[in-house]
Amino acid sequence: MQDPFSDAIDIFEEASKYSDAPGWFIDLLKQPERIIQLRFPLEKDDGKIVPMSGYRVQYNNILGPYKGGIRYHPKVNLSEVKALSFWMMIKNAVCNVPFGGGKGGIEVNPKELSEAELERLTRGFAQKIFPNIGPEIDVPAPDVNTNPQVMEWITDEYRKKLKSQSANGKIDENYIKAVVTGKPLEQGGSEGRTEATGLGGFLVLQSCLNCIELRQKATIAIQGFGNVGSYFAKFASEAGFKIMAVSDSKTGLIDQSGNGGLDIEKIIGFKQKGKSFSDLDLEGVQKISNEDLLELEVDILVPAALEGVINKDNALNIRAGVILELANGPTTKQADKILEEKQVLIIPDVLANSGGVTVSYFEWFQNMHGEHWTVEEVRGKLKEKMETAFKEVWEIAEKKKISLRLAAYVVALNRLASKLS
Ligand code: NAD
């Protein structure tokens, strides 16, 4: 079985055939610029000290500071972090934000740590990574199992270190805030960040539907109802799309009422109480497995949970005509080929879920310039970015007669190569 990084590079190599970038440059981009491997101690609540391992992969900074999340997970490994940092480079280039690619992770199960241990872990990591991060060097963000609070601890460590190095003890507080994104609003976070990935995906979908013969009020099934899936569902249902099915990790819900879709507002309200769909009983709504949800006869399928859920075992059974990839890497390389033969239109992750990093860039920009934009301003600028990114990808796909995934990689590669001259 191939690892995620070599799968990513295979697609990149395929896409590079449609770009005019020089061969040496394409070869250069097949490996990250820098891999930082960290080892540091964590003091547990009982006084025991355990060694911890973490990574930061700085893939490339051709377009701007390295940018990407930090995840806490027991299965964090170098191949995964390399692949994720590569995808960040591609994603940032596709949506044209002045950031490079980066990603980090610590091998840890945060569910086994107390809040105080989590704080010491984060502060220990931040102290070690200090020389390698900064608003103009590398800007981390939340990812799996990390959140605005974790970002706040990193900012605090960064502030302390900078203060200790400053000759007069004076430091620019706005500049310090720009060391990470995904901060709490009151600590310099941006309006509109929470919903940005779901909204960005919805805007990309709308642009796509304007280009194909699919009715605008199409039917949709969504796998995953966390941050991304639920916001996407909200914007899509408000716009009149029929959300026929949704799911969380335990179970799915399917509309059988004949009323034209689930009541998304009601379902969001239920989820906000922290409950599982398996405990939800609604008239006209039945339960469905996550596997069956993927094979429903709907116009648009939206994987918004995990990687690899559409694979060689189920690709032939997919009945949707359009797949909007809101999760990272939901379709395997083999499934991609099968779906292409079936003429299923895939809107790739590096384009579909780039709304999140776009608003992260807005957050960084506001911090660097001491500004605060309203939610309307943020959404307006996001719309502009998403529509332009989609148009560029669509035009290359049409011109070169290639998939939107390959076209997105070509757009990214051309943008990176444009910095050579
Ligand atoms: P989240 O943790 O808020 O939600 C994840 C959802 O997936 C939950 O509904 C959970 O119940 C469901 N889920 C978990 N295991 C599942 C399983 N085995 N089968 C089906 N569903 C399962 O996460 P999120 O922030 O919504 O991220 C979802 C995806 O989008 C991830 O792939 C993430 O990498 C990607 N993504 C997120 C952002 C962002 O801004 N949050 C940006 C880009 C990409």
Side-chain angles (χ1 to χ4, degrees), residues 12 55 170 176 194 335 365 415:
F12 178 68
Y55 306 96
K170 280 193 188 150
I176 286 172
T194 316
F365 185 97
R415 182 156 286 126

Side-chain angles (χ1 to χ4, degrees), residues 8 11 83-96 204 324-330 346-358 386 389-390 393 404-412:
I11 299 172
L84 290 164
S85 67
F86 171 82
W87 284 320
M88 284 307 296
M89 173 188 75
I90 298 289
K91 201 181 293 190
N92 292 334
V94 171
C95 62
N96 196 14
V204 167
L324 178 74
E325 293 185 338
L326 290 187
N328 281 317
I346 302 180
I347 310 176
D349 47 6
V350 288
L351 170 65
N353 70 29
S354 63
V357 74
T358 300
M386 294 292 99
F390 178 80
V393 172
L404 291 178
R405 191 183 314 281
L406 285 185
Y409 277 59
V410 173
V411 167

Side-chain angles (χ1 to χ4, degrees), residues 29-322:
L29 295 183
K30 287 183 193 164
Q31 285 295 331
E33 277 177 7
R34 191 175 303 136
I35 295 171
I36 301 158
Q37 207 160 339
L38 300 162
R39 192 93 168 139
F40 58 98
L42 167 66
E43 187 181 344
K44 302 293 287 291
D45 289 343
D46 61 7
K48 278 199 191 118
I49 296 180
V50 288
M52 303 303 298
S53 294
Y55 306 96
R56 183 76 183 166
V57 177
Q58 297 180 329
Y59 204 91
N60 201 290
N61 64 356
I62 293 171
L63 297 180
Y66 307 102
K67 179 90 190 86
I70 294 175
R71 65 174 52 178
Y72 291 175
H73 197 276
K75 289 192 178 142
V76 159
N77 63 76
L78 191 53
S79 170
E80 182 191 61
V81 182
K82 271 168 80 174
L84 290 164
S85 67
F86 171 82
W87 284 320
M88 284 307 296
M89 173 188 75
I90 298 289
K91 201 181 293 190
N92 292 334
V94 171
C95 62
N96 196 14
V97 296
F99 282 139
K103 202 81 179 190
I106 302 180
E107 270 176 57
V108 65
N109 185 354
K111 287 170 192 143
E112 289 171 359
L113 299 185
S114 69
E115 182 76 357
E117 288 168 337
L118 205 57
E119 178 171 350
R120 285 198 293 276
L121 172 85
T122 305
R123 288 184 183 277
F125 176 76
Q127 285 161 13
K128 277 278 167 239
I129 198 80
F130 171 76
N132 306 100
I133 61 170
E136 289 163 294
I137 302 171
D138 184 349
V139 185
D143 194 73
V144 175
N145 292 327
T146 54
N147 55 25
Q149 174 60 73
V150 170
M151 294 304 110
E152 180 47 23
W153 290 326
I154 295 176
T155 314
D156 196 41
E157 285 305 314
Y158 185 72
R159 180 185 293 109
K160 281 190 213 159
K161 284 267 188 189
L162 269 198
K163 253 190 178 166
S164 70
Q165 289 180 357
S166 152
N168 60 7
K170 280 193 188 150
I171 40 169
D172 177 351
E173 192 51 39
N174 281 325
Y175 186 79
I176 286 172
K177 284 177 183 162
V179 69
V180 292
T181 60
K183 298 177 289 290
L185 252 185
E186 56 283 5
Q187 306 291 341
S190 178
E191 304 283 349
R193 173 62 186 91
T194 316
E195 68 271 31
T197 307
L199 176 57
F202 172 66
L203 294 167
V204 167
L205 176 68
Q206 274 199 317
S207 297
C208 183
L209 296 187
N210 288 334
C211 298
I212 59 173
E213 287 172 24
L214 186 67
R215 62 204 151 90
Q216 283 285 337
K217 307 300 173 208
T219 55
I220 301 182
I222 307 169
Q223 185 190 59
F225 208 74
N227 169 281
V228 177
S230 64
Y231 274 109
F232 170 79
K234 172 180 147 47
F235 291 110
S237 77
E238 281 171 4
F241 288 85
K242 299 182 175 94
I243 315 293
M244 303 311 291
V246 296
S247 68
D248 60 17
S249 61
K250 294 209 178 111
T251 189
L253 306 173
I254 180 164
D255 177 60
Q256 301 284 17
S257 67
N259 292 339
L262 297 165
D263 183 338
I264 292 300
E265 214 183 308
K266 203 177 252 177
I267 293 174
I268 289 177
F270 174 81
K271 261 290 166 202
Q272 279 167 347
K273 291 181 194 140
K275 293 188 179 169
S276 160
F277 286 157
S278 47
D279 302 325
L280 181 61
D281 265 322
L282 285 175
E283 215 185 309
V285 175
Q286 287 187 0
K287 302 281 159 57
I288 182 174
S289 72
N290 256 304
E291 292 73 29
D292 289 345
L293 178 142
L294 294 171
E295 298 176 10
L296 286 176
E297 192 170 355
V298 285
D299 297 314
I300 302 159
L301 177 63
V302 184
L306 302 175
E307 66 281 359
V309 291
I310 303 173
N311 48 51
K312 64 176 177 20
D313 299 328
N314 62 3
L316 270 174
N317 303 333
I318 301 289
R319 288 188 283 172
V322 175

